[in-house]
Amino acid sequence: MHRFFIFILSLCAVVNYLHTNEVILSLVEYGIESDTIDWILLQAEQLTPDSIQICDGSEEEYQTLIKQMVQQQTLIPLNQTLRPGCYLARSHPKDVARVEEKTFICSDKKQDAGPTNNWADPIEMKQIMGEDFQGCMKGRTLYIVPFCMGPLKSKYARFGIQLTDSPYVVVSLKTMTRMGRKALEQMEGKSIVRCLHSMGCPLEPGAIDSAWPCNPEKLAIAHFPKTREVWSFGSNYGGNALLNKKCFALRIASTLGLDEGWLAEHMLILSVTNPEGKKRYFTAAFPSACGKTNLAMLESPLPGWKVEVVGDDIAWLHWSEDGSSLRAINPEAGFFGVVPGTSEKTNAIRTIATNTIFTNVALLPNGDVWWEGKTDTPPPMAIDWQNNPWDPSKTTPAAHPNSRFCVAAHECPNIDQTWQDTNGVEISAIIFGGRRASTIPLIREAFSWEHGVFLGASISSETTAAATGTVGKLRHDPFAMIPFCGYNMADYFSHWITFGLQGANPPKMYAVNWFRKNSNGEYLWPGFQYNIHVLKWIFERCEGSVKAKPTAIGLIPKKLDLDFASILGIKGSYEELFAVKKHEWEKEYSALSTYFSSFGNEFPDELWLQYQELVQANGQ
Ligand code: TSX
Ligand code: MN
């Protein structure tokens, strides 16, 4: 302690901030360990902000930052009668999405990042980015944002501190995590993931700030799995800047899970309740543009059946202490979802009615917001996401295709009562999905855990204009984790296999495809709320109350068990939805074989065995 205070006092002299002493004292008071305080002070010294603020997560602090951003024109207040507590942010046009080319895993060895990640040497990366961080907070406030991922007091919760100069990030973190005092109070003695973030726009004295400061030319997001750190420079947007989410809760957490025997997954968590009142929980992984949030927030049209949401993006999976059940927590406290496509057909529309920050949607003359897909007829006098007049004759979209809502989970009308249970919820089934116009049936059940892991590893999905700009290109995205795994994906597959063997009663596993088309290019399955029929079948399989039909590619429902007669607007027949077409599967095998081979010798034998069994069973 003595050494520590001398160190602090010497730093105070160097840094010479008005409030540094206060900052240190309150960190010490909270029991934050000296090495973490050292880190904060060292960063403060090199970032050279004008002031430092420890965020307490209070409503008052939130409202003050909102007010400040309204003055700065970072936020536009929406019509407070129509949308109470809602604001609109417009980003810089070059700062609209995650940037995978500038995302790095900085493990000591390149091999540990694997073939699907960008790798950079950690020492070199810290040198390069360190220069950018030097003095980058000049003229700004350094916010120290302590946060907890997962329910407070849960043994599965993890802690982080994000240093940032972005008030937009601070208010987003308040919505997306348990942030401030309540996190600090739990942090004593816990390991803390260090997240360093700057917009990369120092402000000269007297200079006018922009509404959305960023530095796209120097953008980089670096992960240091060994030291549990994230450095992000140059962006103010979503997954680039809210380091709790993709960077921590997926990339860093996946490496924690590898070391400690658990899984950090890109999965929604939902519950299904049957007419007798029995509830079961499922997780589901989908690549982007498959409607994951829509599924999480599904409103069941089936009398007596109810779906509720625990999480829409990330699940942390652990075996219970006695190994008898698989427990899942949602490490997040809010939803940061894609806006376009949200309509009366999807339940998110009710979640984002109040206390929501929208980014890059269109503004209407009455102070409401609009986006593509919200209504069938576009409004006549919108202002687009770039603040230009827009009318339906324009070929450019009014809302950016990746425009977002940021809203607390408790704003969702069908949030599950148990969503913050410290022990997590018991998972009965794991679902993998993809967007496939052909080949893949509506649903099939895995024969075994290994077969289920094979189904997860086999996910591929066709791109959409909204997500990538190119339509219909098939992309492999095993477990929907390609952009989010913090280590070698081959090791990830092996980790999944061994993880399953550690529990007594592993969940059943499924692969679904809502997007199969007929030869006229029409969707065979009406999707959306009708997916309840698929969830119901999974539920009944977990109960053991329905039998399945074995095929070469998995167990499928019997015709009567899907209750097709009650499904309105269905284009496809049972036979079309479940057809196993030999020529399509031959293509599928060949694509999978090429893809799995790209992981080299590290690709687990267990999955090659699954592959061979599949090819043989299908009569090759
Ligand atoms: O989210 C979707 N889901 C999951 C819902 C719980 N979408 C939207 C995807 C974009 C992100 C879907 N789109 C789904 C789906 O199940 N299915 C489809 C394909 C589809 C599109 C339009 C229709 C039907 C299916 N229209 C009519 O049937 C009229
Ligand atoms: Mn996601």
Side-chain angles (χ1 to χ4, degrees):
M1 217 47 179
H2 182 65
R3 181 202 64 86
F4 168 58
F5 271 110
I6 292 178
F7 175 79
I8 287 171
L9 291 175
S10 63
L11 258 182
C12 293
V14 178
V15 182
N16 196 21
Y17 292 117
L18 210 60
H19 298 301
T20 309
N21 282 313
E22 269 172 51
V23 168
I24 295 161
L25 280 175
S26 54
L27 289 171
V28 171
E29 240 168 69
Y30 275 114
I32 299 302
E33 291 186 346
S34 61
D35 59 340
T36 304
I37 301 180
D38 292 357
W39 167 69
I40 294 171
L41 293 172
L42 276 170
Q43 294 309 321
E45 192 189 6
Q46 63 145 344
L47 299 165
T48 70
D50 279 10
S51 61
I52 304 179
Q53 183 180 330
I54 303 186
C55 297
D56 62 11
S58 64
E59 185 59 25
E60 192 189 354
E61 173 187 86
Y62 181 85
Q63 293 303 343
T64 306
L65 288 169
I66 292 275
K67 218 165 155 188
Q68 189 185 312
M69 282 190 280
V70 169
Q71 266 159 23
Q72 191 58 45
Q73 293 175 23
T74 302
L75 292 184
I76 301 162
L78 296 177
N79 183 322
Q80 295 297 305
T81 313
L82 292 172
R83 288 189 188 267
C86 292
Y87 297 86
L88 167 64
R90 294 192 186 114
S91 83
H92 185 287
K94 284 186 177 163
D95 193 23
V96 294
R98 287 187 301 105
V99 183
E100 287 177 18
E101 320 82 85
K102 302 282 179 66
T103 301
F104 300 90
I105 301 297
C106 303
S107 44
D108 286 348
K109 286 181 286 182
K110 185 166 197 275
Q111 165 75 13
D112 290 336
T116 60
N117 282 311
N118 300 313
W119 175 82
D121 179 83
I123 295 167
E124 280 172 28
M125 188 51 114
K126 284 199 170 175
Q127 234 151 30
I128 296 166
M129 290 186 78
E131 279 171 31
D132 292 335
F133 275 112
Q134 204 71 49
C136 70
M137 292 192 185
K138 198 170 158 185
R140 300 194 182 276
T141 299
L142 162 59
Y143 301 98
I144 302 172
V145 192
F147 61 88
C148 174
M149 299 306 286
L152 292 164
K153 298 189 179 168
S154 168
K155 56 182 174 289
Y156 305 130
R158 291 281 173 155
F159 296 90
I161 294 180
Q162 180 160 345
L163 307 183
T164 181
D165 52 6
S166 164
Y168 171 85
V169 164
V170 177
V171 297
S172 304
L173 284 173
K174 156 122 170 121
T175 302
M176 296 303 294
T177 73
R178 285 88 175 171
M179 184 271 256
R181 186 177 291 268
K182 54 180 181 264
L184 268 176
E185 281 167 359
Q186 307 286 318
M187 273 186 182
E188 192 169 353
K190 304 279 173 42
S191 69
I192 293 168
V193 174
R194 297 172 178 181
C195 304
L196 172 61
H197 168 253
S198 174
M199 305 183 287
C201 283
L203 257 190
E204 297 305 325
I208 296 168
D209 202 4
S210 54
W212 186 279
C214 61
N215 191 343
E217 274 68 50
K218 290 197 166 167
L219 187 145
I221 301 132
H223 304 72
F224 304 93
K226 193 169 79 181
T227 51
R228 321 299 195 202
E229 287 175 284
V230 184
W231 285 17
S232 165
F233 189 90
S235 172
N236 211 3
Y237 204 93
N240 299 333
L242 312 176
L243 304 187
N244 67 294
K245 194 174 173 65
K246 304 301 192 183
C247 301
F248 176 172
L250 286 173
R251 297 193 192 99
I252 295 291
S254 67
T255 67
L256 295 171
L258 178 67
D259 292 351
E260 301 168 7
W262 55 281
L263 295 166
E265 295 302 318
H266 190 203
M267 289 177 171
L268 64 84
I269 308 168
L270 58 75
S271 73
V272 178
T273 306
N274 75 1
E276 286 73 52
K278 175 151 190 186
K279 191 189 274 195
R280 287 185 175 275
Y281 296 89
F282 308 154
T283 65
F286 289 86
S288 59
C290 290
K292 198 166 92 176
T293 300
N294 293 342
L295 184 65
M297 296 184 184
L298 185 136
E299 272 177 1
S300 165
L302 258 190
W305 289 83
K306 192 163 70 177
V307 176
E308 288 164 297
V309 54
V310 174
D312 81 326
D313 197 33
I314 302 174
W316 286 356
L317 308 175
H318 296 253
W319 289 109
S320 61
E321 237 147 67
D322 62 359
S324 66
S325 64
L326 182 65
R327 319 299 307 185
I329 62 161
N330 171 11
E332 304 194 275
F335 306 119
F336 184 75
V338 172
V339 182
T342 305
S343 70
E344 280 302 324
K345 249 175 127 174
T346 69
N347 199 35
I349 195 92
R350 280 167 277 291
T351 304
I352 63 182
T354 51
N355 300 319
T356 302
I357 295 183
F358 294 90
T359 301
N360 288 345
V361 299
L363 182 64
L364 296 178
N366 66 353
D368 198 1
V369 275
W370 190 81
W371 52 82
E372 276 67 20
K374 184 188 178 199
T375 50
D376 288 339
T377 24
M381 288 188 3
I383 307 291
D384 75 10
W385 68 279
Q386 294 197 69
N387 198 18
N388 297 315
W390 187 89
D391 67 69
S393 68
K394 280 213 173 175
T395 52
T396 53
H400 188 278
N402 192 37
S403 52
R404 295 283 167 154
F405 56 77
C406 183
V407 63
H410 60 74
E411 297 283 337
C412 179
N414 58 334
I415 191 79
D416 196 279
Q417 266 186 11
T418 64
W419 82 279
Q420 310 210 64
D421 273 14
T422 51
N423 289 321
V425 297
E426 176 174 354
I427 298 303
S428 300
I430 298 174
I431 303 166
F432 301 110
R435 175 186 279 266
R436 295 293 302 270
S438 73
T439 321
I440 310 295
L442 177 62
I443 176 155
R444 72 198 134 127
E445 181 183 302
F447 299 119
S448 63
W449 178 267
E450 283 86 349
H451 185 223
V453 175
F454 174 82
L455 294 181
S458 306
I459 294 184
S460 55
S461 201
E462 282 142 19
T463 56
T464 61
T468 60
T470 38
V471 184
K473 199 173 149 25
L474 191 63
R475 293 235 174 115
H476 292 277
D477 190 359
F479 293 81
M481 279 292 275
I482 284 300
F484 305 118
C485 185
Y487 59 97
N488 192 321
M489 276 300 277
D491 298 332
Y492 171 93
F493 300 137
S494 301
H495 182 44
W496 258 88
I497 292 166
T498 44
F499 180 79
L501 304 175
Q502 283 152 16
N505 186 19
K508 289 181 182 293
M509 286 147 111
Y510 297 85
V512 300
N513 174 26
W514 317 136
F515 302 94
R516 198 168 190 178
K517 290 179 174 174
N518 64 18
S519 50
N520 295 329
E522 296 164 317
Y523 289 110
L524 294 170
W525 178 248
F528 296 95
Q529 59 179 353
Y530 294 103
N531 295 333
I532 186 65
H533 291 269
V534 171
L535 297 178
K536 173 174 174 277
W537 185 71
I538 295 174
F539 189 108
E540 290 167 344
R541 286 292 296 158
C542 295
E543 289 289 297
S545 60
V546 290
K547 289 220 168 74
K549 191 168 130 184
T551 75
I553 58 166
L555 304 161
I556 63 169
K558 295 202 230 171
K559 191 170 182 174
L560 289 177
D561 291 332
L562 270 187
D563 198 16
F564 270 51
S566 74
I567 303 174
L568 301 168
I570 187 167
K571 286 264 170 19
S573 63
Y574 170 86
E575 285 72 21
E576 285 175 286
L577 278 161
F578 290 96
V580 180
K581 298 185 179 169
K582 200 159 182 249
H583 65 280
E584 289 180 345
W585 278 92
E586 276 164 12
K587 254 179 100 178
E588 190 75 7
Y589 299 141
S590 136
L592 279 177
S593 162
T594 308
Y595 185 65
F596 290 168
S597 300
S598 72
F599 294 97
N601 288 334
E602 322 297 316
F603 191 79
D605 292 340
E606 289 90 338
L607 295 189
W608 276 127
L609 194 67
Q610 288 297 324
Y611 172 83
Q612 280 152 8
E613 282 177 10
L614 173 69
V615 172
Q616 275 159 19
N618 216 9
Q620 281 244 302

